[in-house]
Amino acid sequence: MPHLTAHLPEDKLAGNESALVTALTEAIVGVYGEWARELAGIRLSGVPAGRFARGGKAVDTDVSLVMGVRAAAFERPDAAEISANLAAALTDAVTAVLGEDVRPGTTVELVASPQERTFVAGAPAP
């Protein structure tokens, strides 16, 4: 069950929420397949100006994407390819909505969660 949290500049997020959710969902489905659509959870978090920094200086073009995925996804023989495709698709989705100026500052982190540590509504996730 993929869960994606996107931290991005508040001024870039405002008014783009729906388009960003759609683009990120389509990126996930494009890599995993249609089965992932209903399971993809996306959270958008706007970061006020001056609260993103790189190299000790405030920037307004950074985007941080953190996606929780099942640990088993990293044990597959094609794990490296799937991870690279996912990172590229998510980055492309963000830049399609927010503009190419955010591409250089977009980071994607894939975080592995063992199935026994993933729960929905208080019960083990399917």
Side-chain angles (χ1 to χ4, degrees), residues 15-65:
N16 288 312
E17 295 89 348
S18 181
L20 197 52
V21 166
T22 298
L24 291 168
T25 301
E26 293 304 321
I28 292 167
V29 169
V31 173
Y32 283 125
E34 192 60 39
W35 66 267
R37 183 177 305 280
E38 293 302 315
L39 299 176
I42 297 175
R43 292 163 200 82
L44 303 176
S45 179
V47 178
R51 293 195 180 170
F52 262 121
R54 186 174 351 112
K57 297 179 183 177
V59 295
D60 66 352
T61 55
D62 279 9
V63 175
S64 171
L65 304 172

Side-chain angles (χ1 to χ4, degrees), residues 41-123:
I42 297 175
R43 292 163 200 82
L44 303 176
S45 179
V47 178
R51 293 195 180 170
F52 262 121
R54 186 174 351 112
K57 297 179 183 177
V59 295
D60 66 352
T61 55
D62 279 9
V63 175
S64 171
L65 304 172
V66 180
M67 186 164 167
V69 296
R70 291 282 173 86
F74 298 109
E75 297 166 3
R76 297 169 44 134
D78 59 351
E81 179 182 353
I82 288 174
S83 294
N85 290 345
L86 191 54
L90 293 171
T91 300
D92 289 346
V94 167
T95 59
V97 175
L98 302 181
E100 282 295 322
D101 63 322
V102 301
R103 184 180 295 277
T106 298
T107 60
V108 177
E109 180 180 3
L110 304 177
V111 180
S113 297
Q115 182 158 345
E116 65 273 9
R117 293 187 203 163
T118 305
F119 302 87
V120 175

